[in-house]
Amino acid sequence: MIPLSLAAVAQITGARPDRVTDPAVTVTGPVVVDSRLAGPGALFAALPGERADGHDFAGAALAAGAVAVLASRPVGGPALITADVPAALGRLARAVVDSLPGLTVAGITGSAGKTTAKDLAAQLVENLGPTVAPHGSFNNEIGHPLTVLRVTTQTRYLVGELSARKAGDITRLCEIAPPLLGVVLCVGHAHEGEFGGIAEVARAKGELPAALPAHGVALLNADDPQVRAMAARTAARVVTFGRDREARVRAEDVRVDGRGRPGFTLVTPDGSARTKLRLFGEHNVTNALAAAALAAELGLRVTALAEGLRGAVPRSRWRMEVTRRADGVTVINDAYNANPESVAAAIRTLSVMAAGRRAFAVLGPMNELGSQSRRRHEDAGGQAARAGVAGLIVVGDAAAPIMTGAKAERSWHGELLGVPDARAAVKALGNLLAPGDVVLVKASRSAGLESVALALTGEAAQ
Ligand SMILES: Nc1ncnc2c1ncn2[C@@H]1O[C@H](COP(=O)(O)OP(=O)(O)OP(=O)(O)O)[C@@H](O)[C@H]1O
Ligand SMILES: [Mg+2]
């Protein structure tokens, strides 16, 4: 981060210094919420967590070299006290952004693919200059300011991931670091229950284009009508990307290889070039086009875009992570998260990758789908059955309608098993799998099904 005195941090955040003996002491960074990451010059932000209260770790952070704690109550050492620590982080991040006129901020939102597109975009934009992008899915009112606070005077680009769980979330994230460029990937059913319906999801994602200035660029997925319609909600110039023939940045002649990795001709106003992804699944073409459209706007030419996409690796774990075991069993760990669109995409990829081999799907619950939940789970079961999986293992009671949906496909005769938890799923798979099989593991984050995939690949759960 850019160095700031404790006096400056207090002034920017409106926090009250407590036990600060020298206000001239400087925070040189990083700003952390995990005391184990604190080191000399750090600022430790104490957050109340679900399992632990950050204030309990203030002493450890200070002992590790943190110069102060941003806290909501005294911690027995130098602290800056404020009622709302995340809001204070947001104000601090905004002040840092405002002090760096040479920094270009881009934001990426959508119901699925944000982290993937962000990781791809960061790897392309890094060719143009020093870039900061979040680790994993740091995309909310805490993760986003923490990412922003990693910028220095050297940083040229910030590629942020912006998530919404309710109306107004994205507007607030855009206030923390006002984006010049904004990408919207898709409007899907993720968190539909919390929003109240798909129209509300679309309205929330549309807060990103709405927040862009007239000299900014709204990058919109031409293949998703609800995203395309957001052109009406922005003052910025609109650039479309997608498979649509009218899209400004588009993919032509998409071909998925036998391992499930898509290649395509990248067409931009600057020319076209053939490229191929290291990521699995045809749905990642959209994420790659979004990344390419963003980097193209920042000045990367088509040959560099195509080459950059060829070299870009998955940076965040458990998203279509493919491991081939010594015995020839292929494990697709897509257990980071699940929603109806990403389950459908993963099942499509499973059947492409299996290509004649036996396919198995281990599916757990998709959360936060509200009144549509049962139907969406049944749909997922139907999709797996129609894809002709040899076996479907459904984990947990909340996912039971997946079994109903699969049973309704009368022409499907695969093995159908309901198991209570991840451990039972691993046990069941032990009896089912044979060399050459392909297994997909997928559920919402809270189901923790990565433990199934990690057990299958012989990695210890983290
Ligand atoms: N365009 C897409 N269509 C359908 N599924 C997708 C698409 N892009 C990514 N996915 C799948 O969605 C899941 C989540 O991907 P990713 O982590 O990139 O999304 P995200 O939007 O960052 O999710 P989160 O909201 O959890 O942060 C993965 O299973 C991935 O394979
Ligand atoms: Mg994410």
Side-chain angles (χ1 to χ4, degrees):
M1 101 161 217
I2 58 167
L4 286 171
S5 69
L6 290 180
V9 175
Q11 202 244 325
I12 290 163
T13 58
R16 174 177 61 80
D18 180 62
R19 295 203 185 198
V20 172
T21 44
D22 183 1
V25 165
T26 304
V27 180
T28 51
V31 181
V32 297
V33 295
D34 181 340
S35 61
R36 291 166 297 185
L37 302 177
L43 177 67
F44 175 62
L47 299 169
E50 271 168 28
R51 277 169 297 177
D53 183 347
H55 293 82
D56 296 341
F57 300 92
L62 292 168
V67 291
V69 181
L70 192 59
S72 44
R73 58 173 189 270
V75 294
L80 300 169
I81 313 278
T82 175
D84 187 341
V85 173
L89 284 175
R91 286 193 290 275
L92 191 57
R94 175 58 185 264
V96 166
V97 169
D98 287 346
S99 74
L100 299 171
L103 179 72
T104 298
V105 178
I108 299 179
T109 195
S111 295
K114 295 180 292 297
T115 296
T116 308
K118 173 268 296 176
D119 286 343
L120 291 173
Q123 289 175 76
L124 296 179
V125 174
E126 277 160 12
N127 291 298
L128 295 164
T131 303
V132 166
H135 303 297
S137 239
F138 271 35
N139 59 16
N140 62 14
E141 77 283 5
I142 296 161
H144 190 51
L146 288 177
T147 301
V148 176
L149 287 165
R150 284 175 39 225
V151 303
T152 68
T153 51
Q154 311 299 312
T155 311
R156 293 274 316 280
Y157 303 101
L158 174 74
V159 181
E161 173 173 338
L162 312 181
S163 82
R165 296 180 93 81
K166 57 182 184 310
D169 281 355
I170 290 183
T171 300
R172 271 187 293 278
L173 295 175
C174 289
E175 281 161 7
I176 290 171
L180 183 66
L181 303 101
V183 179
V184 187
L185 294 167
C186 55
V187 170
H189 297 280
H191 309 304
E192 186 182 358
E194 293 184 5
F195 279 105
I198 198 83
E200 282 72 23
V201 177
R203 205 166 304 138
K205 308 293 177 211
E207 290 173 20
L208 173 55
L212 298 170
H215 62 291
V217 188
L219 298 121
L220 302 178
N221 183 354
D223 302 334
D224 185 325
Q226 306 207 66
V227 176
R228 221 170 36 210
M230 291 175 194
R233 282 190 66 185
T234 187
R237 179 162 58 85
V238 172
V239 168
T240 53
F241 62 88
R243 307 281 288 267
D244 190 291
R245 293 189 63 80
E246 305 278 300
R248 189 170 162 89
V249 174
R250 62 183 183 275
E252 287 182 358
D253 196 12
V254 177
R255 269 179 260 157
V256 182
D257 74 12
R259 296 182 60 196
R261 299 194 291 199
F264 57 93
T265 301
L266 174 65
V267 183
T268 74
D270 174 43
S272 59
R274 190 83 196 156
T275 190
K276 175 148 187 220
L277 303 183
R278 292 184 185 212
L279 310 184
F280 295 84
E282 191 171 339
H283 57 281
N284 277 316
V285 172
T286 306
N287 298 326
L289 290 172
L294 176 62
E297 279 304 316
L298 294 174
L300 212 60
R301 307 299 297 260
V302 69
T303 45
L305 293 169
E307 198 183 318
L309 288 175
R310 273 182 194 280
V313 293
R315 279 192 175 165
S316 304
R317 295 207 65 186
W318 307 338
R319 292 157 178 91
M320 298 301 290
E321 192 174 305
V322 177
T323 308
R324 203 181 156 95
R325 293 198 326 204
D327 66 355
V329 168
T330 300
V331 179
I332 310 171
N333 180 351
D334 199 31
Y336 176 74
N337 219 340
N339 59 52
E341 285 78 15
S342 70
V343 169
I347 290 171
R348 278 196 301 273
T349 307
L350 170 67
S351 64
V352 169
M353 288 176 74
R357 297 148 74 194
R358 292 198 310 166
F360 289 83
V362 183
L363 301 179
M366 299 178 276
N367 294 337
E368 299 167 356
L369 296 177
S371 61
Q372 299 297 311
S373 179
R374 166 169 289 275
R375 201 178 106 211
R376 304 279 178 223
H377 283 87
E378 288 174 2
D379 289 349
Q383 285 154 8
R386 286 194 299 280
V389 295
L392 174 60
I393 292 118
V394 177
V395 189
D397 284 348
I402 295 178
M403 302 183 62
T404 318
K407 276 187 216 145
E409 296 293 324
R410 301 259 174 236
S411 57
W412 178 64
H413 300 296
E415 189 97 33
L416 180 62
L417 286 177
V419 296
D421 54 26
R423 188 187 290 260
V426 174
K427 198 157 168 229
L429 286 162
N431 299 324
L432 287 170
L433 292 181
D437 292 345
V438 186
V439 197
L440 165 73
V441 184
K442 187 160 182 72
S444 270
R445 181 86 294 279
S446 59
L449 283 204
E450 68 277 0
S451 66
V452 174
L454 295 173
L456 291 176
T457 55
E459 268 183 274
Q462 292 168 355

